[in-house]
Amino acid sequence: MQVVLLSGGSGKRLWPLSNETRSKQFLKVLQDSEGKNISMVQRVWGQLINVGLASQTIIATSKSQVDILQNQLSVGPNSLVIEPSRRDTFAAIALASTYLYSVKGICPDEVVIVLPVDAFVENSFFERMKELEDIILHSNANLALLGVKPTYSSTKYGYIIPEKVFHNDSAIPFLASEFIEKPNESTAERLIEKGALWNCGVFAFKLSYLQSILQENNLPIHYNELLKQYNEIPCTSFDYAVVEKENKIATLPYEEDWKDIGTWNTLTEEMNSKIIGKGNVSQDSVNTHLINELDIPIAILGITDAIVAASPDGILVSSKAKSSNIKSMTECFDDRPMYEERRWGWYKVLDYVKFDDGNEVITKRLCIAKGKNISYQIHLKRSEVWTVVKGTGEFIKDDELMIVGNGDVLVIPIGTKHGIKAITDLEIIEVQSGSELSEDDIVRYCETWDEIKAHYNELHEVSYVRVE
Ligand SMILES: O=P(O)(O)OC[C@H]1O[C@@H](O)[C@@H](O)[C@@H](O)[C@@H]1O
């Protein structure tokens, strides 16, 4: 059995803490057993390790999230399938399946189980999920799902309508089902009366099943070919593209607690503390949560059932009940991310200004973790001035290496090659100035410090002439 963990979504519902690169699964608002703050992806990954599935799991993610994912989980590049752009879950699952087949050499008869990253569940959920393999192998079902009992007539889930219970063609009894994705509220009510279950976003199928769907859609089953055509894959969810059209569906009910923690309302229910970050919430502010990533305090007085979340990207003040409607309110915000976690650490934008002559200036605080490095690169539209404010590092500029430390000011004109490795934890205040300031204005020559050092050694090689 192979597991695909879907972790590429943008999760805009948790704005302002989530942004283009730091989506909901990376927010450290949950706690582990020792009380340490962890993110959803860290929690699920820990659970997959606990139930013995991590070694057979690949993570489907988007290009912009690779750095943060590798920062939060210690997974090698072979465990990642990187979507070149965001095209919803049908494309993501299709790409992951071709990766399993072409890159990992998985046999088409093997069962693949796809799992979302935002389910807040206990380990028993993953144990139940493992049973789907047996159903796929020993019944005539093409797809197997996990279903939970609905708690209200939600319009954001798929509904599984059980028809009958089979006992004979699989060791595990399951429900033969029909599936309706995101019905309206009155249909949802009717479906619940008929005993419908919510789909938990877990899909099990044989790899060959997905391959036949790709072929029906005139899409290749080989990874490299599908990767080339990725932007032509229909932009739709797996639920609409596959599940809703399938009539051989089996479902296993999951009877313990299941919660999708993709909205502020549901996420805050799982927080152990009412306050994360600087600030205070008055005693009479019942069921109100504060999450503050800014360095200034926030005070909340006499506001009940609310969420206040602040980050360098914005501030949200919302009632718990309405917090899932956030997408429509924030769609018009298209500012650049003001905070990003990268492969080497993180940065925060402290100030941004655009002058009348069109020149832009951004001041950033960069924290590079001990042993990590920024790639060897140039910028075509900006100069940078770095002031080292903490730690020591090895700095390379135009193929010259030097040791730098607290108090050093490093000037990097437009088009100058530069990179830095932190010898100890390193902090830099960076001032960028140029005609167009964007994270895309980076031409990278080498990424790892070993490559950078090899390049340096090649250029500075000293040839010794042996004197006899
Ligand atoms: O390309 P990586 O290694 O992620 O480095 C990216 C970083 O490069 C530096 O030169 C600066 O421009 C930073 O503002 C930027 O975030």
Side-chain angles (χ1 to χ4, degrees):
M1 181 217 299
Q2 300 292 315
V3 178
V4 176
L5 177 65
L6 290 182
S7 177
S10 69
K12 291 255 170 85
R13 283 207 189 86
L14 294 183
W15 184 90
L17 264 63
S18 57
N19 62 28
E20 181 59 25
T21 57
R22 188 171 63 141
S23 47
K24 60 182 177 187
Q25 64 269 34
F26 301 114
L27 305 178
K28 292 193 181 169
V29 289
L30 303 174
Q31 271 88 28
D32 67 8
S33 51
E34 283 143 30
K36 202 174 114 211
N37 282 354
I38 54 164
S39 66
M40 286 178 209
V41 74
Q42 287 175 319
R43 181 180 149 96
V44 171
W45 189 247
Q47 291 180 303
L48 288 171
I49 293 174
N50 287 341
V51 299
L53 285 176
S55 60
Q56 62 218 70
T57 300
I58 55 167
I59 306 176
T61 188
S62 67
K63 218 165 96 193
S64 58
Q65 295 178 352
V66 173
D67 276 8
I68 187 165
L69 193 71
Q70 288 188 320
N71 251 358
Q72 293 200 356
L73 309 179
S74 35
V75 288
N78 290 346
S79 302
L80 302 183
V81 192
I82 302 164
E83 300 148 27
S85 59
R86 285 214 176 96
R87 297 199 71 72
D88 218 326
T89 52
F90 173 64
I93 294 172
L95 190 70
S97 302
T98 60
Y99 183 85
L100 287 173
Y101 179 60
S102 310
V103 182
K104 294 234 154 185
I106 301 300
C107 159
D109 275 341
E110 210 166 310
V111 173
V112 177
I113 300 188
V114 178
L115 147 93
V117 73
D118 50 9
F120 190 84
V121 284
E122 296 307 322
N123 287 353
S124 57
F125 182 84
F126 301 96
E127 297 294 353
R128 189 70 166 147
M129 188 183 92
K130 285 183 189 169
E131 297 180 11
L132 297 177
E133 181 183 30
D134 186 71
I135 294 178
I136 289 294
L137 291 177
H138 301 111
S139 76
N140 70 348
N142 283 330
L143 265 176
L145 313 175
L146 280 189
V148 289
K149 209 163 174 226
T151 47
Y152 66 101
S153 46
S154 168
T155 55
K156 60 177 193 148
Y157 299 124
Y159 283 71
I160 301 164
I161 305 113
E163 285 169 352
K164 48 189 156 160
V165 181
F166 281 58
H167 289 277
N168 27 7
D169 53 357
S170 153
I172 302 157
F174 62 87
L175 305 161
S177 334
E178 204 194 310
F179 182 85
I180 298 181
E181 177 66 352
K182 297 194 174 102
N184 62 29
E185 212 175 313
S186 58
T187 313
E189 265 166 35
R190 255 190 305 118
L191 294 176
I192 293 175
E193 276 163 25
K194 279 168 91 187
L197 300 174
W198 277 342
N199 170 33
C200 303
V202 171
F203 311 112
F205 48 82
K206 269 193 194 164
L207 185 53
S208 55
Y209 171 71
L210 211 276
Q211 290 178 326
S212 62
I213 290 188
L214 290 177
Q215 280 161 339
E216 277 164 30
N217 285 278
N218 294 321
L219 291 166
I221 60 167
H222 292 285
Y223 174 70
N224 282 334
E225 288 165 39
L226 192 69
L227 197 59
K228 278 190 219 138
Q229 291 182 30
Y230 198 75
N231 291 338
E232 286 143 45
I233 305 178
C235 204
T236 177
S237 72
F238 190 78
D239 311 64
Y240 282 123
V242 179
V243 192
E244 215 172 37
K245 293 181 187 149
E246 178 56 61
N247 49 34
K248 288 186 182 155
I249 301 178
T251 302
L252 271 189
Y254 175 68
E255 268 142 23
E256 289 171 54
D257 285 347
W258 173 86
K259 191 181 274 172
D260 148 20
I261 44 176
T263 64
W264 279 120
N265 196 9
T266 47
L267 181 65
T268 47
E269 281 173 16
E270 301 312 327
M271 280 170 50
N272 287 353
S273 132
K274 277 180 79 171
I275 305 172
I276 296 184
K278 268 191 189 173
N280 239 328
V281 178
S282 66
Q283 285 290 338
D284 60 346
S285 299
V286 182
N287 190 29
T288 287
H289 283 81
L290 167 65
I291 302 171
N292 182 9
E293 286 196 335
L294 302 176
D295 298 321
I296 47 173
I298 294 180
I300 303 176
L301 282 99
I303 301 176
T304 57
D305 298 316
I307 165 81
V308 175
S311 86
D313 283 320
I315 297 173
L316 167 78
V317 180
S318 169
S319 71
K320 288 265 171 84
K322 298 281 177 194
S323 63
S324 61
N325 300 343
I326 191 168
K327 264 189 170 170
S328 57
M329 288 288 282
T330 56
E331 256 159 18
C332 51
F333 303 160
D334 63 350
D335 306 80
R336 57 161 290 146
M338 303 296 266
Y339 173 89
E340 263 196 74
E341 272 183 46
R342 301 295 275 262
R343 172 177 51 73
W344 38 262
W346 54 266
Y347 77 75
K348 184 154 95 175
V349 173
L350 305 176
D351 188 56
Y352 166 73
V353 60
K354 185 169 186 168
F355 294 108
D356 291 346
D357 62 2
N359 197 53
E360 296 179 46
V361 176
I362 275 182
T363 308
K364 267 177 158 187
R365 178 169 160 217
L366 266 62
C367 290
I368 307 163
K370 179 179 168 188
K372 300 280 172 86
N373 72 280
I374 277 179
S375 59
Y376 197 31
Q377 54 177 266
I378 59 164
H379 307 294
L380 300 173
K381 294 184 179 157
R382 64 172 183 258
S383 63
E384 292 181 349
V385 177
W386 294 1
T387 304
V388 181
V389 291
K390 183 186 160 197
T392 52
E394 218 176 340
F395 177 60
I396 179 163
K397 181 174 146 186
D398 270 344
D399 301 330
E400 291 302 330
L401 268 175
M402 61 198 94
I403 298 293
V404 295
N406 191 6
D408 285 335
V409 177
L410 313 167
V411 178
I412 306 159
I414 291 182
T416 305
K417 285 200 240 164
H418 62 286
I420 196 162
K421 179 184 177 185
I423 297 172
T424 61
D425 282 348
L426 195 64
E427 287 204 23
I428 292 172
I429 300 294
E430 168 186 291
V431 181
Q432 304 181 354
S433 172
S435 55
E436 199 187 305
L437 304 183
S438 118
E439 282 302 308
D440 295 334
D441 174 22
I442 302 181
V443 182
R444 297 180 177 92
Y445 295 99
C446 318
E447 196 164 293
T448 68
W449 202 250
D450 284 346
E451 286 166 349
I452 297 172
K453 271 309 235 325
H455 165 80
Y456 174 84
N457 289 339
E458 209 178 296
L459 288 174
H460 294 78
E461 205 173 29
V462 186
S463 332
Y464 294 100
V465 180
R466 208 162 143 200
V467 181
E468 297 290 334

